[in-house]
Amino acid sequence: MSEENTYDFRAVERAWQERWEREGIYVARDDDPRPKYYVLEMLPYPSGDLHVGHAKNYTLGDAVARIHRMRGQNVMHPMGWDAFGLPAENAAIQRGIDPETWTLENIANMQRQVRLMGTSYDWTRELASCLPDYYRWNQWFFIRLFEKGLAYKREAPVNWCPVDQTVLANEQVENGRCWRCGAAVERRNLAQWFFKITDYVERLLAGLDRLDGWPDRIRTMQRNWIGKSEGVTFSFDVENVEAQIDVFTTRIDTVFGTTFVAVAPEHPAVEKILEKMPKSRRRVEEFAATLKSKSELERTQLMEKTGIPTGAYAINPLSRERIPVWVTNYVLAEYGTGAVMGVPAHDERDFEFAKKHGLPIAQVITTPDGSLRAPLSEAYLEDGKLIASGEYIGMKSATARRSIAARLEAMGRGKTTVNYRIRDWLVSRQRYWGTPIPIVYCPVDGTVPVPGDQLPVLLPKDVQFTGQGSPLANDAAFVNTTCPKCGGPATRDPDTMDTFVDSSWYYVRYLDAHNDRAPFGKDKASKWMTVDQYIGGAEHAVLHLLYARFFYMFMIDEGYVSGDDEPFARLFNQGMLLYRGEKMSKSRGNVVGIDEAVEKYGVDAMRLFLLKAAPPEDTLDWTDEGIVGRVRFVQRVWRAAEPLADAARAVPLDHLPEMRGDAQRQLVRALHVALDSGMSETETYRFHYNVTTAKLDELINLLGSALREPGAAEDPAVLYVVHALPIVLAPFAPHLADELWSRMGNAGSVHLERWIEPDPAALAVDEITLVVQVNGKVRARIQAAPGIAEDEAFTLAMREPTVTAQIDGKQVRKRIFVPDKLLNIVAA
RNA sequence: GGGGAAGUGGCGAAACGGUAUACGCAGUCGCCUCAAAAGCGACCGAGUGAGAGCUCAUGUGGGUUCGAGUCCCACCUUCCCUACCA
């Protein structure tokens, strides 16, 4: 290799990034008449450094965007920052750095690094959710939801650290203890804001059925998360107590097997019972107190089922049996009615609880043949035939469910109901670094939303971060305000919004990113939505992707945007990037930064490697070995193509070149195979560019061989391939591609060129290898012209000694012929 | 406990039900060089054979099929998600 012909990737890559930026070639225009294509990668949290895990995601999205652009579409490909959240506040608490400064510095650094990757983002649309010109629209949406009754406030339990005097996010509770001070976390009821996602539950479910561009597993996860279950809610009277206990069950057919009623300690009936049962009060309250010190996590995880009898008895409305009412730790106050009928014989949890506390186990369902009889060694969960159930004896479970439900309904004691596992979205956070909730509390006017012309409610600066309590609640200058209605003294809501609010609509803000009168204009939003291809990790399968769908349905309903009510037509789940077997993340401290990789190997080599190493949906364990192969590839391309750049430009690309022999035909074919691979991987949404890079390798290997032949520098086929090289490389190695393109004397960027349609004539082969099998095993391969007839193939095959040796003495029973592929001779 | 994904050379991996191991990494040998690096070329699943070849190999065991890495059933292993939802 001569010194002067080494590709200087450092200089070249930087120069092209600057030029692309200067010329704005990736800016998406609203008035572009070509069909739109919106490709979006999930926006990152600005943790400080971009690592190769991010790079894996963005490289894929960028290849998709570039191929669509070269295929003649008006591509929208924006980028922004999910910039609110806890790490910034922790930096403030631990190191005294202002959260805004910390975040904006991180964004600046990461934005530099994303640019370093040469990705084709339209930076004119960049957004950062922590800036007032973004979060004011969070507040605007909050008020719209409030006006529609979809944002409401009620008491809800939160994780409370008694030492730090603050609410903790679930992620900050480690084994029931505060992550910072180690104190046992308590459950407290605080007034919190909720978004009423449950109003949209049926639509969210129905939409999933239509989203066939989404992975099944994500759709399944969302369905499970929503957790729809149909059953019966009915009520028990409590003996001598003015209270009814409602329970929800999906197995009303087992109601005669109820041997106890279990309630959550928070259940309102508990207090009424205790008024009548003063002797039980102390024990029940002590029990409740031991539960209270535990977070919901701890309460629901791996915990033994315990409980305490209240002393009261409920009456089974159908059997009229007296059954004890227990307060237990395994009934969730937040789901259903906060009480369940305990049927040990037919529910695993009830069985475990009954065993432990010596409660009776009454079998009421048996196997269809009636063979299953007490005593049961475990709960029988299947449907079956009813026994010991009064007038319902002998019925099948399904029939009994209908009959019993009808009976309870007729008695006015119950009705069929649907319950959902999903709860309303709790959006209040007792935290500083988020969007202030735009609500004022007035002693006269009550809960008053901040009027639109007073938005945004700005986050105050110079707040004290002590880690004690909520910073906003402690800031009198922020909290004390005047009522927008009456002008009298009032207080602001001291909480901020869950950052998932920010990411629920950002993909629409990109489409009109600088609008200061509305979150976005309807025309612009409607022109570009929906997102054609969304790309991101599966970790957002339920939260972000469910919230965003809910938000978008609301936007459609309110007419803010028109079109389909699903925001993401297709979703692609990137596989995780691991390092040393663990997820790469800053908090784990196992981050491979991209600055070093780019400096050492070059961006194009890194991008090619990330695509080549594995199919994009696979988990990839990062290793530096292997990337040198892509560095070699980049240099090989350069050495092959650059010297011929001048000569190659003269060979037109709009038709196939003169091909003087087999070698030339193979070379041109390899080019079209690579073109075809890049295109079809994109159009089938498979995105297996690892295969496309292999085709590029084969192309360059053939080109290298061709160049060693005398006269190669004047061979039209060689020059044609060299001329086309920048185009086929452009989506994957954009800098190298544009540098070669410009060396060919082109003034414009190769990224604005058209992809070359794979030509069937170039893809055709003039000789095929026909596989000859005997009884399914390969015995010979014969070279033949395409389209060879079965009889002729058979004749040729029977001349092969390796074939006849296997048939020897046997009769040919059957022939299977796959044209141009295979002949299988079945002999016996 | 529930749900999902995946198991192919030393490694990353490829393969519309039809030539298993493309392409790359690592390795071995050679060319070039005073030497090295880079580059270029050849080889590179296991067994057997002088060789043409033959036999065995896609986690394990069955099945469907002319033919199975691919489809079906059971099991083993790994990873991810979720978790008392009545």
Side-chain angles (χ1 to χ4, degrees), chain A residues 62 337 442 519 745:
Chain A
D62 197 47
T337 62
C442 170

Side-chain angles (χ1 to χ4, degrees), chain A residues 423-498:
Chain A
R423 301 171 201 178
D424 277 335
W425 174 12
L426 197 170
V427 295
S428 296
R429 296 290 181 272
Q430 291 71 34
R431 286 282 160 182
Y432 169 77
W433 193 231
T435 306
I437 289 178
I439 293 288
V440 168
Y441 304 104
C442 170
V444 178
D445 296 302
T447 300
V448 183
V450 175
D453 59 5
Q454 291 173 34
L455 295 182
V457 176
L458 286 170
L459 265 181
K461 310 228 175 199
D462 304 320
V463 166
Q464 293 301 306
F465 295 96
T466 58
Q468 300 281 308
S470 158
L472 287 184
N474 294 340
D475 184 350
F478 175 79
V479 171
N480 295 321
T481 184
T482 52
C483 172
K485 270 193 185 162
C486 68
T491 56
R492 290 191 188 281
D493 192 298
D495 290 348
T496 52
M497 293 180 211
D498 183 2

Side-chain angles (χ1 to χ4, degrees), chain A residues 528-577:
Chain A
W528 290 101
M529 286 299 286
T530 64
V531 175
D532 295 281
Q533 183 68 58
Y534 201 20
I535 299 172
E539 67 272 21
H540 292 114
V542 280
L543 297 177
H544 162 57
L545 287 169
L546 199 57
Y547 295 149
R549 292 179 60 220
F550 157 63
F551 238 75
Y552 195 66
M553 286 174 182
F554 174 73
M555 292 184 236
I556 289 281
D557 287 355
E558 295 303 304
Y560 303 148
V561 56
S562 63
D564 192 273
D565 68 358
E566 287 290 345
F568 313 121
R570 302 197 63 89
L571 174 69
F572 187 88
N573 272 139
Q574 271 278 29
M576 261 187 315
L577 193 124

Side-chain angles (χ1 to χ4, degrees), chain A residues 721-764:
Chain A
V721 167
V722 168
H723 193 181
L725 221 39
I727 288 176
V728 72
L729 288 169
F732 316 108
H735 310 81
L736 174 65
D738 235 349
E739 182 66 15
L740 284 173
W741 191 246
S742 80
R743 301 265 173 147
M744 290 172 189
N746 296 294
S749 169
V750 72
H751 301 295
L752 302 176
E753 292 295 317
R754 281 301 290 253
W755 191 253
I756 300 167
E757 280 305 308
D759 188 331
L763 292 171

Side-chain angles (χ1 to χ4, degrees), chain A residues 85-97 99 172 179-180 431:
Chain A
L86 279 170
E89 203 163 331
N90 294 336
I93 296 167
Q94 285 156 8
R95 291 179 282 151
I97 306 165
Q172 298 171 315
W179 64 310
R180 218 144 41 78
R431 286 282 160 182

Side-chain angles (χ1 to χ4, degrees), chain A residues 221-293:
Chain A
M221 282 167 80
Q222 291 211 355
R223 281 195 197 95
N224 291 345
W225 184 266
I226 291 169
K228 179 177 182 173
S229 57
E230 294 171 41
V232 174
T233 301
F234 69 99
S235 53
F236 286 89
D237 286 329
V238 185
E239 203 175 66
N240 303 325
V241 179
E242 292 275 312
Q244 285 194 332
I245 299 175
D246 285 352
V247 301
F248 171 74
T249 178
T250 55
R251 292 297 305 274
I252 193 66
D253 53 314
T254 66
V255 65
F256 284 83
T258 309
T259 58
F260 63 97
V261 170
V263 301
E266 298 90 339
H267 196 283
V270 173
E271 183 51 37
K272 288 186 178 164
I273 289 171
L274 293 181
E275 280 165 17
K276 296 282 168 111
M277 307 276 165
K279 277 182 285 184
S280 301
R281 181 173 288 276
R282 234 190 76 201
R283 293 190 341 141
V284 170
E285 282 179 352
E286 274 173 14
F287 176 76
T290 61
L291 293 186
K292 209 172 177 184
S293 69

